[in-house]
Amino acid sequence: MGKLDNRVAIVTGAAQGIGRAIAGKLVEEGATVVVADLNGDGAAKAAEELGGVAVQADVSVEADAQKIVDTTLERHGRVDVLVHAAAIVPFVPWDEVDFAYWRKIVSVNLDGTYLVGRAVEKPMRAAGYGRIVNIASNSFFAGTPNMGPYVAAKGGVIGLTRVQATELGKYGITSNAVAPGIIRSEGALATPHKDSFDFVQALQALPRHGHPADIAPAVSFLASEESGWVTGQTLVVDAGHIRD
Ligand SMILES: NC(=O)c1ccc[n+]([C@@H]2O[C@H](COP(=O)([O-])OP(=O)(O)OC[C@H]3O[C@@H](n4cnc5c(N)ncnc54)[C@H](O)[C@@H]3O)[C@@H](O)[C@H]2O)c1
């Protein structure tokens, strides 16, 4: 018996990295997973490995966000869980951010959270049950440099999570955020963030590098029925880097 037996979960950004590890954990706990990602080939590969369905979609495009939910309902007839992990992890100094890039990051990292959350809450509301887990970042609390639009968008994700909790609680839907610390995902390792792991490790209570699998158990708890008295919260999962 897994704590997600018979549950259908959408995981965005699940072609690689933290989203992929979360999708794997949810399947281990009994869920059927829909892998939604901009990277269609990566989504198809992950879905094949996980025995799930893949949807190629850009979460910052309204019709694509709706397509993720519609495909899930067509294939499985229900959606119990949304884990929204899709995001761009940029590395850009404050004085090099131009407005077009700012808009791009905010559009994918914050608008996407709104669009997929709005599409999924309708069937969840009709069913009287839902679990939304939005992936934020501890960089919001740390004010991490070289990530201006990202940090601002992740603050928005935490704010939106609280609003979802407040407005959707009466329909049996919880919404929580998980805020990872720096993690050795494909995305992070492809940027200058790859050189920050030892520095950040020195700030952590637990002295080792973080991996995508370190984030998945917290998400699986919040995605399960047993987290039913927890909503509107942000769980920081970062080896004790942020401690306030
Ligand atoms: N890696 C870290 O250090 C770290 C730290 C804190 C928070 N996070 C958060 O964890 C989540 C996963 O990050 P990661 O490090 O695994 O990243 P990653 O870059 O390895 O994976 C991100 C995935 O999202 C997909 N994606 C990007 N834009 C998309 C779009 N518009 N529509 C659909 N899919 C899209 C990518 O194709 C990719 O598969 C993100 O929300 C990120 O902000 C990461």
Side-chain angles (χ1 to χ4, degrees):
M1 279 283 287
K3 59 174 175 278
L4 290 167
D5 281 348
N6 304 316
R7 297 295 186 189
V8 173
I10 294 169
V11 185
T12 68
Q16 66 178 44
I18 294 172
R20 174 64 181 80
I22 292 167
K25 178 71 176 167
L26 301 190
V27 167
E28 237 176 76
E29 294 289 353
T32 300
V33 164
V34 174
V35 173
D37 204 287
L38 188 61
N39 173 358
D41 291 343
K45 182 170 177 289
E48 195 185 335
E49 290 162 2
L50 295 165
V53 170
V55 185
Q56 195 278 329
D58 180 341
V59 297
S60 65
V61 172
E62 191 172 4
D64 278 20
Q66 190 61 49
K67 180 175 78 174
I68 297 169
V69 175
D70 289 348
T71 305
T72 304
L73 294 174
E74 277 158 25
R75 295 297 290 264
H76 301 299
R78 60 188 291 159
V79 54
D80 303 288
V81 174
L82 165 66
V83 179
H84 182 64
I88 300 172
V89 183
F91 184 100
V92 56
W94 170 259
D95 45 6
E96 288 174 22
V97 180
D98 64 35
F99 187 53
Y101 193 64
W102 173 279
R103 281 299 323 144
K104 171 78 180 164
I105 299 297
V106 173
S107 164
V108 172
N109 293 8
L110 178 57
D111 298 0
T113 310
Y114 160 70
L115 289 172
V116 184
R118 194 186 60 170
V120 86
E121 70 89 14
K122 291 186 191 80
M124 287 180 172
R125 187 190 290 218
Y129 181 87
R131 296 279 181 268
I132 298 174
V133 186
N134 293 317
I135 305 302
S137 168
N138 79 342
S139 64
F140 170 67
F141 302 104
T144 306
N146 301 310
M147 301 190 87
Y150 176 93
V151 171
K154 291 299 190 181
V157 169
I158 289 171
L160 182 59
T161 299
R162 291 181 183 175
V163 172
Q164 287 175 337
T166 309
E167 298 207 20
L168 302 178
K170 57 182 172 292
Y171 306 113
I173 302 169
T174 64
S175 181
N176 293 285
V178 166
I182 190 167
I183 293 292
R184 297 185 70 86
S185 66
E186 287 92 329
L189 292 174
T191 69
H193 293 297
K194 69 179 186 315
D195 300 323
S196 309
F197 283 91
D198 290 338
F199 167 73
V200 176
Q201 177 176 312
L203 305 173
Q204 295 169 188
L206 303 171
R208 68 166 174 82
H209 293 187
H211 295 269
D214 290 314
I215 305 304
V219 176
S220 119
F221 165 66
L222 291 169
S224 75
E225 214 172 321
E226 64 187 15
S227 66
W229 199 235
V230 182
T231 194
Q233 304 305 305
T234 298
L235 179 53
V236 178
V237 184
D238 71 349
H241 172 189
I242 303 293
R243 274 164 276 174
D244 58 12

